[in-house]
Amino acid sequence: MARWRQAVELAMTDEEIGKLTVISRSRTEPASRVARAQMLLAYRENPSFFLIGRKLGVHHQTVQRCIERALAYGILAALDDRPRPGREPTITPEAKAWLVSLACDKAMEHGYPHELWTTRLLARHARERGPAAGHECLANLVQGTVCKILGQEELKPHKVRYYLECRDAEFEQKMAEVLCVYRKVQVLKKAAAKSNKPDRSVAIVSYDEKPGIQAIATTAPDLPPVPRVHATFAREHEYKRHGTLSLLAGIDLLTGKVHALVRDRHRSREFIEFLKLLDTAYPARTAIKLVLDNHSAHISRETRAWLDSRPRGRFAFTFTPKHGSWLNLIEGFFSKFARSVLRHIRVASKQELRDRIMAGIDDVNRHPVIHTWSYKLADAA
């Protein structure tokens, strides 16, 4: 005669009960762990496989297996699935290494018109060339398996991440020279604050050009927002181009004033025109120091000839290193100007764009902002 199943004693600590309670109420834990936590807590209150199974909507043998795992491996270990042997992998480690090595090459190096691999192309290449390379297991390779293998090695051969190679052997030295200029600006500011009298003997200007500002016209009127109906302006997709302009600007790092010209191009003659603008803007005895990049117009024969015609010491240039335009403070001004004045701008002509840019510069100069450089300034000699 069969015997009734006898309840077994399942001892739990207060800490285990607390953890089981949290897991049994969780909305983020896997459903299997939540269900097993509920079985263990219910068995503690009422040690009946049948009643717990009926309460939780599972078979009583499922509850029994959960309790037996808890007795064998521990309360919390019983919440997880037991490891299974699974099927032996069909793709050998050597084949995976060959595939990963292949992914580190460019597709064009293997005779394809593609620059980079796609996972589909890589799988096709492995199916066609893998067996000949001694990897018979790759004969039926599919795209999804390629993705898994590359994912394990954290490889994304279909993507490109750009970097900037340092091509200026004197980068550190030139950066130090620019930082020394910014250190001098800091010293002059502190001296002016103490004496309440600005130093007229020197002006330090951060200069650059912003080319390619597009004069774009709309082909239909913009539609204004309508409260609770249309939240934004509506604009016709089509537009008309009128050409481009270049903004030549320099910001006085001591006063915040912006000196600017708007021209069709930014050649040597336009740069000399800007230098003439600075020449008339400051007293004759003021030394004008410019921080600028290595554009050809800044070092051309025409520019040097004009500088030689000026009094000695009137102009002094400090060049940023190659690929070091981020060291120039004017870049921050250009970014802010593009995000405010030039953002979504539409004009009927190049002249209108020129007028609006200069109006924006005038607006900035009504409330000048003194830009300050702080990055690595303490390291400057």
Side-chain angles (χ1 to χ4, degrees):
M1 180 177 177
R3 293 188 304 161
W4 290 97
R5 291 187 181 88
Q6 295 181 353
V8 294
E9 183 178 354
L10 186 62
M12 300 184 194
T13 65
D14 293 338
E15 182 181 359
E16 290 172 336
I17 294 173
K19 290 182 178 180
L20 289 176
T21 303
V22 172
I23 295 172
S24 67
R25 297 172 181 173
S26 174
R27 294 187 177 183
T28 57
E29 289 277 355
S32 59
R33 286 174 56 84
V34 173
R36 288 164 187 165
Q38 292 173 348
M39 293 177 200
L40 293 173
L41 290 173
Y43 188 82
R44 176 175 172 271
E45 299 294 333
N46 184 4
S48 170
F49 301 147
F50 180 79
L51 292 178
I52 295 172
R54 186 168 65 177
K55 177 182 179 182
L56 299 178
V58 297
H59 198 276
H60 65 85
Q61 290 181 351
T62 303
V63 180
Q64 182 180 354
R65 285 195 295 270
C66 179
I67 303 303
E68 290 173 351
R69 275 202 301 268
L71 290 171
Y73 303 107
I75 298 297
L76 298 178
L79 302 180
D80 300 317
D81 293 327
R82 296 293 94 205
R84 296 179 175 85
R87 190 176 66 175
E88 287 293 329
T90 58
I91 300 179
T92 63
E94 293 77 12
K96 289 182 180 179
W98 179 82
L99 185 67
V100 169
S101 175
L102 188 67
C104 293
D105 296 335
K106 285 187 174 182
M108 60 172 291
E109 297 172 2
H110 294 269
Y112 293 99
H114 311 67
E115 177 75 10
L116 303 177
W117 292 109
T118 64
T119 51
R120 189 184 303 276
L121 178 63
L122 190 57
R124 190 183 81 191
H125 181 87
R127 287 195 303 268
E128 295 175 353
R129 309 288 177 85
H135 306 294
E136 208 53 56
C137 57
L138 297 179
N140 298 315
L141 185 68
V142 296
Q143 182 184 4
T145 305
V146 171
C147 295
K148 290 180 182 178
I149 294 173
L150 297 182
Q152 292 169 356
E153 300 297 331
E154 298 183 1
L155 274 179
K156 298 179 181 179
H158 58 288
K159 292 188 175 182
V160 174
R161 182 175 61 85
Y162 287 89
Y163 73 98
L164 191 61
E165 183 179 356
C166 183
R167 299 181 180 175
D168 194 334
E170 301 176 350
F171 188 95
E172 294 294 333
Q173 177 184 343
K174 292 179 180 179
M175 181 176 71
E177 291 174 1
V178 175
L179 295 181
C180 283
V181 173
Y182 293 154
R183 171 70 71 82
K184 184 173 183 179
V185 171
Q186 190 179 62
V187 171
L188 291 173
K189 286 179 182 177
K190 291 181 179 179
K194 288 182 179 180
S195 63
N196 292 322
K197 185 178 180 181
D199 188 349
R200 303 287 186 182
S201 64
V202 63
I204 301 177
V205 177
S206 174
Y207 168 83
D208 202 3
E209 301 94 0
K210 183 175 178 59
I213 303 174
Q214 297 191 73
I216 298 178
T218 57
T219 57
D222 288 346
L223 303 179
V226 178
R228 299 187 180 182
V229 179
H230 302 292
T232 65
F233 279 93
R235 175 170 287 171
E236 166 64 40
H237 283 279
E238 293 187 3
Y239 55 87
K240 183 178 179 181
R241 297 180 186 272
H242 291 297
T244 61
L245 294 174
S246 293
L247 171 61
L248 293 76
I251 184 167
D252 189 316
L253 300 182
L254 296 173
T255 65
K257 181 179 179 180
V258 179
H259 306 277
L261 290 176
V262 180
R263 295 293 182 264
D264 290 340
R265 302 172 67 179
H266 57 287
R267 301 162 295 179
S268 297
R269 66 183 65 179
E270 284 81 17
F271 179 55
I272 292 172
E273 188 178 352
F274 180 82
L275 294 178
K276 291 179 180 178
L277 176 67
L278 292 182
D279 200 24
T280 58
Y282 293 99
R285 295 183 178 181
T286 301
I288 304 173
K289 301 180 181 297
L290 277 80
V291 177
L292 68 172
D293 62 21
N294 296 272
H295 191 277
S296 59
H298 306 161
I299 56 176
S300 67
R301 181 168 39 185
E302 295 90 338
T303 300
R304 290 198 303 268
W306 186 87
L307 290 173
D308 291 341
S309 68
R310 305 305 303 149
R312 188 177 182 84
R314 176 61 165 169
F315 285 93
F317 291 177
T318 301
F319 293 100
T320 60
K322 188 176 179 64
H323 293 165
S325 60
W326 54 274
L327 285 165
N328 204 340
L329 266 171
I330 191 68
E331 297 294 343
F333 167 77
F334 280 154
S335 175
K336 184 177 180 180
F337 196 76
R339 287 180 283 113
S340 56
V341 177
L342 301 179
R343 180 170 172 261
H344 299 311
I345 193 168
R346 291 294 184 268
V347 293
S349 64
K350 288 176 67 173
Q351 183 58 46
E352 182 184 347
L353 177 61
R354 181 180 287 108
D355 294 341
R356 290 180 64 177
I357 290 175
M358 292 308 299
I361 297 295
D362 293 339
D363 184 70
V364 170
N365 286 333
R366 277 194 289 272
H367 307 282
V369 176
I370 299 178
H371 293 243
T372 302
W373 184 275
S374 58
Y375 178 67
K376 286 193 174 183
L377 196 58
D379 300 337

